[in-house]
Amino acid sequence: MPDGWLNVVTCDDDVAPRLVEHPDVAVISFTGSAAVGWAIAAAAPASPGGPRARQQRTGHHEADADLALAAAKVAAGGFAFAGQTCIAVQRVYVHEAVHGRFLDELVPRVQRLVCGDPLDPTTDVSALITGDDTRRVHGIVEAAVGGGATIRCGGTVDDRGVLAPTVLDGVTADMAVCREEVFGPVVGVAPYASFDEAVALANDTSYGLQAAVFTASLGRALDAAHRLEFGGVLVNEMPTFRADQMPYGGVKASGNTREGPAYAVDELTERRLVVLPR
């Protein structure tokens, strides 16, 4: 790549706003919280680009799903990088007929995750990025318990400052664990009675990045893909799955564009009309 085509600048809070507001910046692509994303959009009215925000995810499990597969995917997708990924599993809705069996599959898998030093290759989950984040996420867990949810595993912070991978059962839509982006090693589980209820619960969020549905029915999977209000819907796969060539991005508060080479080229291209005389 020629010199000057790609530049990486690590900067503080004083420099970043100047880059956002500078008239020579044609496009801004942002990954981060919704609040910061919309603030960037407001600060850069002349930019043809817009913010891209990292936001909420959901999982939905039908009664005919492979529960072992679903539990393995949730355990991996909910706790990798201590849940500090933009599409980590956070909300899981399970049909009431298999709710208990699903938890019996999920909880032991989460309990086997190894907490410790991130430089140790045997470690699965380490500390959150700051102590303030640990306290924030632990507070979300405690608030959920105060609202009636049950801790099935985890929920404690050890003397190293590591929040144990946590599974909450019986979460409700009004809890912060469902309303906000936790960005930590916490997964909330709740039962549902009908498919329509599950779709409504999944869509009851201001975010919409990626969702997953686990089912043995192709028809049900396609119905879910049609009705779930998310930028991506994955079938029998965790919503954290991503390939670079995918049109990756969200709807609602989760963004307004798509990443991926072909889609990024389109987003970064200004079309120009040229009319030639006969």
Side-chain angles (χ1 to χ4, degrees):
M1 185 176 292
D3 290 345
W5 278 41
L6 174 65
N7 299 281
V8 178
V9 181
T10 56
C11 55
D12 58 26
D13 291 342
D14 292 329
V15 176
R18 298 187 184 189
L19 291 174
V20 168
E21 297 167 4
H22 200 284
D24 287 346
V25 176
V27 175
I28 301 164
S29 177
F30 170 77
T31 299
S33 68
V36 175
W38 297 123
I40 288 175
S47 171
R52 192 187 319 282
R54 157 199 84 199
Q55 292 310 335
Q56 193 114 307
R57 301 73 43 191
T58 186
H60 163 227
H61 302 260
E62 266 295 282
D64 61 358
D66 182 333
L67 297 182
L69 172 66
K73 294 293 186 179
V74 170
F79 302 101
F81 303 101
Q84 299 173 119
T85 65
C86 50
I87 39 180
V89 178
Q90 181 173 313
R91 300 180 297 151
V92 181
Y93 297 109
V94 187
H95 194 281
E96 59 187 13
V98 295
H99 173 251
R101 287 168 48 204
F102 173 76
L103 285 170
D104 288 344
E105 291 279 354
L106 175 63
V107 171
R109 285 176 166 82
V110 176
Q111 290 174 322
R112 288 194 293 268
L113 295 174
V114 177
C115 296
D117 185 343
L119 298 180
D120 185 338
T122 65
T123 295
D124 297 308
V125 178
S126 190
L128 297 179
I129 193 67
T130 69
D132 285 343
D133 285 303
T134 301
R135 287 183 285 274
R136 175 186 59 80
V137 176
H138 192 222
I140 290 174
V141 172
E142 292 182 324
V145 172
T150 302
I151 295 177
R152 294 299 302 265
C153 65
T156 59
V157 180
D158 65 20
D159 56 6
R160 301 167 297 181
V162 178
L163 175 62
T166 303
V167 175
L168 292 169
D169 185 26
V171 298
T172 56
D174 60 328
M175 296 177 178
V177 71
C178 292
R179 306 309 304 175
E180 302 173 8
E181 184 182 28
V182 174
F183 217 61
V186 179
V187 169
V189 180
Y192 68 86
S194 69
F195 178 69
D196 288 342
E197 180 189 6
V199 172
L201 287 168
N203 287 338
D204 183 20
T205 173
S206 59
Y207 305 123
L209 191 43
Q210 292 200 164
V213 56
F214 287 80
T215 177
S217 167
L218 178 60
R220 181 59 54 83
L222 294 177
D223 187 21
H226 178 71
R227 297 166 62 186
L228 289 171
E229 298 167 355
F230 292 81
V233 177
L234 293 94
V235 178
N236 293 337
E237 180 56 82
M238 58 187 172
T240 53
F241 174 83
R242 179 185 176 187
D244 284 340
Q245 64 267 32
M246 288 167 45
Y248 172 76
V251 298
K252 299 189 281 189
S254 290
N256 57 5
T257 52
R258 294 293 183 271
E259 294 178 358
Y263 311 94
V265 166
D266 185 63
E267 292 285 350
L268 298 174
T269 298
E270 281 291 335
R271 287 176 171 78
R272 175 171 297 159
L273 170 66
V274 177
V275 179
L276 299 175
R278 294 180 61 182

